[in-house]
Amino acid sequence: MSQIYPSLLSADFSKLREEIEAIEKAGADGLHLDIMDGHFVPNITFGAPVVAKLRPHTKLFFDCHLMVSEPDHLIESFALAGAQCITIHQEATKHLHRSLQRIRDAGCKAGVALNPATPLETLEHVLDDLDLILCMTVNPGFGGQKLIPAALRKAGNLVDLLKQAGLKDKILVQIDGGVDARTAPEASRLGVDILVAGNAVFGEKDYAVAMRALRS
Ligand code: DX5
Ligand code: ZN
């Protein structure tokens, strides 16, 4: 069964600590933190100092998704702030292999995100250097968008390819964007390990009920 990582992007930013405590109590498997730089994507969210302030208030796994151009110089500060997985975009770094090494050297799991139009083949030569592949199921930058079916099919293809290569136990497959009670069952059926969900969790009154709906 897939794990559910609520995306903090859809939480109430005026009370992030309470939101995180509530989501942990409701049974989240991890917390997805969206970092946007206003350059790689149009929006700006928050940086490592905010992550560091939130870190003592939860035991949840911190999964930081960096939607940032040339993210290398930020990797150590997010690791120090308490990130446990750092995911960078394939499209945002010139030297992907080096960036991934830098994430692992900082003591974090290394993830790569692919925009909906970016082919899986771009990761063929870095499979030994990553722990997670995030197939974006919307174009990054905003919560509350509709899932792109072709991007979900790509995640399914990735699961199959990893199985064939004997790497399914080593590399996690994650999707992000447009995950709701209607789209989650198909993603689960395809073998996606982690479903990131913003609006489908934080948009509901009862977070535990919302997560149960995603799991069922
Ligand atoms: C989009 C972010 C997502 C976003 C998902 O750029 O990376 O994590 O919060 O939000 P929903 O689940 O509402 O599509
Ligand atoms: Zn995200």
Side-chain angles (χ1 to χ4, degrees), residues 195-209:
L195 313 181
V196 174
N199 270 26
V201 177
F202 285 106
E204 297 296 320
K205 249 208 184 82
D206 187 326
Y207 299 160
V209 170

Side-chain angles (χ1 to χ4, degrees), residues 7-118:
S7 163
L8 201 58
L9 185 64
S10 301
D12 182 339
F13 272 34
S14 71
K15 48 171 189 165
L16 287 179
R17 176 180 170 177
E18 290 95 314
E19 291 279 67
I20 289 176
E21 286 168 351
I23 213 77
E24 183 169 19
K25 230 171 108 200
D29 297 302
L31 185 71
H32 184 82
L33 299 115
D34 285 306
I35 316 301
M36 302 187 184
D37 68 348
H39 182 263
F40 181 67
V41 291
N43 277 327
I44 296 177
T45 53
F46 51 85
V50 173
V51 176
K53 283 285 179 193
L54 295 173
R55 184 66 281 184
H57 301 293
T58 176
K59 289 196 170 58
L60 284 173
F61 186 85
F62 272 15
D63 173 40
C64 288
H65 175 197
L66 269 53
M67 285 161 275
V68 172
S69 299
E70 299 302 339
D72 286 22
H73 65 289
L74 294 174
I75 288 168
E76 283 80 17
S77 56
F78 276 97
L80 277 173
Q84 287 156 290
C85 179
I86 297 179
T87 296
I88 54 173
H89 269 261
Q90 187 274 350
E91 306 85 3
T93 176
K94 283 194 193 75
H95 303 285
L96 182 60
H97 182 268
R98 187 160 62 203
S99 303
L100 290 171
Q101 276 187 327
R102 199 157 167 175
I103 296 173
R104 281 190 171 169
D105 287 348
C108 295
K109 299 272 184 208
V112 180
L114 298 177
N115 281 338
T118 306

Side-chain angles (χ1 to χ4, degrees), residues 120-173:
L120 294 174
E121 288 70 27
T122 56
L123 301 185
E124 189 181 341
H125 304 293
V126 289
L127 290 176
D128 289 339
D129 307 286
L130 50 78
D131 303 291
L132 176 143
I133 299 173
L134 164 53
C135 289
M136 289 303 298
T137 36
V138 298
N139 289 297
F142 308 91
Q145 304 180 74
K146 238 172 106 153
L147 177 139
I148 299 167
L152 181 58
R153 286 198 293 277
K154 183 170 75 176
N157 293 343
L158 173 61
V159 171
D160 294 342
L161 287 170
L162 291 176
K163 277 185 186 156
Q164 284 161 23
L167 290 171
K168 187 66 188 65
D169 296 336
K170 281 177 72 182
I171 298 176
L172 293 169
V173 176

